[in-house]
């Protein structure tokens, strides 16, 4: 387990907004009565950078952000099970570029919806409990990972329907896995975190032949030799409570718990002993009233900024690449009082979306400085 050395005091950001970029509300949609748990822009395909998906209840909805604050509904998929409650959604595609919307939730079934015809392309059964997060490999967008309440992370090929790897076992999580993320450039590496208060870094390097095999497999997906990855390469105890969101920032990791801040830290591996090493906590980004679990932050495409909502319906936008951290903007609106479960930043960060517990979607647009 990674230890935190003394004498490396992290730099804490100031909550005085820098007014670097100002945003205003340009739209508010009421999608329904049920809470919305996830919202995500499509960063997989440049034709659809202004398209986003939300999930709430048994519904997946696809929208497009148009000029002048307009939000157009493009598609809606309603699950056959009215008791399904989706918690997460991600964009992926098959190898010919067809866009997929991949969603999962309380039933533990992953639905891959073909956005070109609004039909279910595949359903993945395997997790023994609900699914808390699905993320797509940006370098190979036919691969997705899912984090589950069943204490495992699974790697899937959405094209062939194969479960390639299961990250669980002797060195795995000891409680619900709440979040998972692919490294932006190291295709073999993922990070996961959860209710056991740890962040674990895993490597797929020695299992990569199975990943490649999953693209050419012609037999039934159930006959595929799914492998268990039992030991992470690094385990970090950065937080003392549930860790509900982790994202790579280069080789560093941004993670948050329920203590009103996002933490930027560097895992320092010991080559000789896997799982061991130290953690260097670099920076802290305060987020007031962010003390309930299952609130997730998002980046723009180039990792310039992160946006996170809080329990009171406010959004904090932090500049990521500055030290000390700079608060770009604090967004609040008299009618936005419900907890924001997730935000989505557009490709260039000029639009920020939030999805809320009360079933609303808010669109904020940067006011051009001209």
């Amino acid at each position: 387990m990674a230890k935190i050395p003394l004498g490396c005091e992290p730099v804490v950001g100031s909550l005085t907004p820098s007014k670097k970029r100002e945003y205003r509300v340009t739209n508010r949609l009421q999608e329904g009565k049920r809470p919305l748990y996830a919202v995500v822009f499509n960063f997989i395909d440049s034709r659809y950078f202004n398209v986003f998906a939300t999930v709430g209840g048994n519904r997946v909805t696809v929208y497009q952000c148009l000029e002048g604050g307009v939000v157009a509904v493009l598609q809606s998929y309603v699950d056959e099970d009215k008791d399904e409650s989706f918690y997460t959604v991600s964009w992926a595609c098959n190898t010919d570029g067809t866009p997929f919307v991949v969603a999962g939730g309380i039933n533990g079934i992953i639905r891959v919806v073909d956005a070109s015809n609004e039909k279910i392309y595949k359903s993945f059964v395997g997790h023994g409990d609900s699914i808390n997060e699905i993320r797509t490999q940006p370098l190979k967008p036919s691969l997705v990972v899912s984090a589950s309440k069943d204490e495992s992370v699974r790697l899937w090929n959405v094209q062939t329907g194969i479960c390639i790897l299961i990250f669980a076992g002797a060195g795995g999580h000891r409680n619900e896995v709440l979040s998972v993320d692919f490294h932006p450039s190291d295709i073999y590496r993922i990070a996961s975190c959860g209710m056991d208060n740890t962040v674990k870094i895993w490597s797929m390097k020695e299992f990569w032949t199975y990943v490649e095999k999953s693209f050419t497999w012609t037999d039934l997906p159930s006959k595929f030799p799914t492998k268990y990855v039992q030991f992470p390469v690094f385990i970090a105890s950065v937080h003392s409570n549930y860790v509900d969101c982790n994202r790579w920032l280069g080789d560093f990791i941004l993670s948050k718990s329920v203590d009103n801040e996002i933490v930027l830290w560097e895992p320092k591996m010991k080559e000789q002993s896997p799982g061991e090493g130290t953690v260097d906590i670099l920076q802290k980004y305060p987020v007031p009233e962010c003390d309930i679990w299952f609130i997730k932050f998002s980046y723009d495409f180039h990792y310039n900024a992160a946006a996170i909502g809080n329990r009171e319906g406010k959004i904090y936008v932090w500049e990521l690449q500055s030290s000390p951290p700079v608060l770009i903007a604090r967004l609040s609106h008299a009618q936005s009082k419900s907890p924001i479960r997730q935000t989505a930043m557009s490709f260039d960060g000029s639009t920020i979306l939030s999805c809320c517990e009360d079933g609303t979607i808010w669109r904020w647009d940067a006011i051009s400085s001209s």
Side-chain angles (χ1 to χ4, degrees):
M1 190 80 90
K3 311 283 190 298
I4 298 171
L6 295 169
C8 308
E9 290 307 305
V11 187
V12 180
S14 156
L15 279 165
T16 309
S18 66
K19 297 280 201 283
K20 275 203 158 172
R21 208 167 188 182
E22 299 202 40
Y23 291 82
R24 64 186 179 94
V25 173
T26 55
N27 207 326
R28 172 182 178 263
L29 298 158
Q30 180 78 44
E31 193 176 286
K33 291 280 181 282
R34 296 173 78 170
L36 296 178
Y37 285 112
V39 57
V40 61
F41 273 105
N42 183 347
F43 284 173
I44 300 295
D45 189 326
S46 58
R47 294 172 298 175
Y48 307 122
F49 278 167
N50 62 348
V51 173
F52 68 92
T54 63
V55 290
N58 63 338
R59 184 184 296 270
V60 180
T61 313
V62 177
Y63 299 90
Q64 189 169 18
C65 279
L66 300 170
E67 292 295 308
V70 176
V71 176
V73 181
L74 297 184
Q75 297 180 354
S76 177
Y77 162 74
V78 179
D79 197 82
E80 60 212 18
D81 181 354
K82 64 180 193 306
D83 294 325
E84 173 65 281
S85 178
F86 289 119
Y87 295 150
T88 180
V89 63
S90 189
W91 289 93
C93 64
N94 70 6
T95 43
D96 70 7
T98 305
F100 289 148
V101 187
V102 187
I106 202 165
N107 283 347
I109 300 167
I110 296 175
R111 302 286 191 194
V112 181
V113 181
D114 184 332
S116 66
N117 61 16
E118 291 188 63
K119 292 189 167 54
I120 290 236
Y121 174 75
K122 280 187 167 40
S123 296
F124 302 155
V125 181
H127 277 300
D129 215 321
S130 53
I131 294 162
N132 290 316
E133 187 154 72
I134 296 169
R135 299 281 288 173
T136 302
Q137 164 55 262
L139 306 168
K140 267 193 190 298
S142 304
L143 298 175
V144 302
V145 273
S146 53
S148 170
K149 185 175 179 176
D150 70 6
E151 304 183 2
S152 79
V153 170
R154 286 174 179 244
L155 175 73
W156 309 84
N157 184 321
V158 292
Q159 165 102 16
T160 53
I162 285 167
C163 178
I164 311 165
L165 300 174
I166 301 172
F167 302 85
H173 285 286
R174 291 284 170 263
N175 205 329
E176 287 198 41
V177 191
L178 296 177
S179 183
V180 63
D181 195 35
F182 284 103
H183 191 286
S185 57
D186 178 347
I187 201 160
Y188 305 124
R189 209 159 274 249
I190 64 170
S192 62
C193 61
M195 286 191 179
D196 61 3
N197 306 356
T198 67
V199 178
K200 295 179 190 267
I201 298 173
W202 308 82
S203 173
M204 301 183 255
K205 196 162 190 177
E206 58 187 281
F207 300 94
W208 197 251
T209 51
Y210 293 94
V211 175
E212 288 173 337
K213 193 186 284 187
S214 75
F215 284 91
T216 54
W217 189 255
T218 51
D219 206 341
L220 290 168
S222 57
K223 299 245 178 92
F224 188 84
T226 301
K227 287 284 172 227
Y228 271 87
V229 184
Q230 294 214 49
F231 295 98
V233 293
F234 192 84
I235 304 171
S237 287
V238 175
H239 305 277
S240 55
N241 209 319
Y242 295 170
V243 192
D244 59 0
C245 191
N246 69 200
R247 298 284 182 263
W248 291 94
L249 184 63
D251 290 329
F252 301 157
I253 288 180
L254 270 180
S255 58
K256 69 164 281 284
S257 180
V258 291
D259 37 24
N260 306 308
E261 63 184 13
I262 304 173
V263 180
L264 177 68
W265 51 278
E266 180 183 9
K268 297 194 160 173
M269 318 244 172
K270 280 207 183 102
E271 288 304 313
Q272 313 83 5
S273 45
E276 296 293 311
T278 56
V279 167
D280 191 359
I281 297 189
L282 305 170
Q283 306 208 127
K284 293 188 173 184
Y285 306 78
V287 188
E289 279 75 52
C290 195
D291 50 7
I292 55 173
W293 68 280
F294 215 86
I295 288 184
K296 299 180 186 260
F297 54 87
S298 65
Y299 298 158
D300 63 303
F301 186 82
H302 292 295
Y303 304 96
N304 291 318
I308 181 165
N310 72 3
R311 169 166 57 75
E312 296 188 335
K314 295 184 175 66
I315 298 171
Y316 290 78
V317 187
W318 282 101
E319 190 169 271
L320 290 175
Q321 316 261 0
S322 57
S323 181
V326 173
L327 183 64
I328 296 171
R330 182 174 71 234
L331 313 181
S332 62
H333 188 279
Q335 267 87 55
S336 176
K337 289 279 178 266
S338 177
I340 294 170
R341 291 298 181 182
Q342 195 170 24
T343 61
M345 293 194 85
S346 64
F347 184 84
D348 62 357
S350 62
T351 296
I352 296 173
L353 305 171
S354 62
C355 66
C356 308
E357 191 83 358
D358 61 4
T360 56
I361 302 163
W362 293 74
R363 174 176 173 179
W364 296 77
D365 282 314
I367 301 164
S368 59
S369 50
S370 55

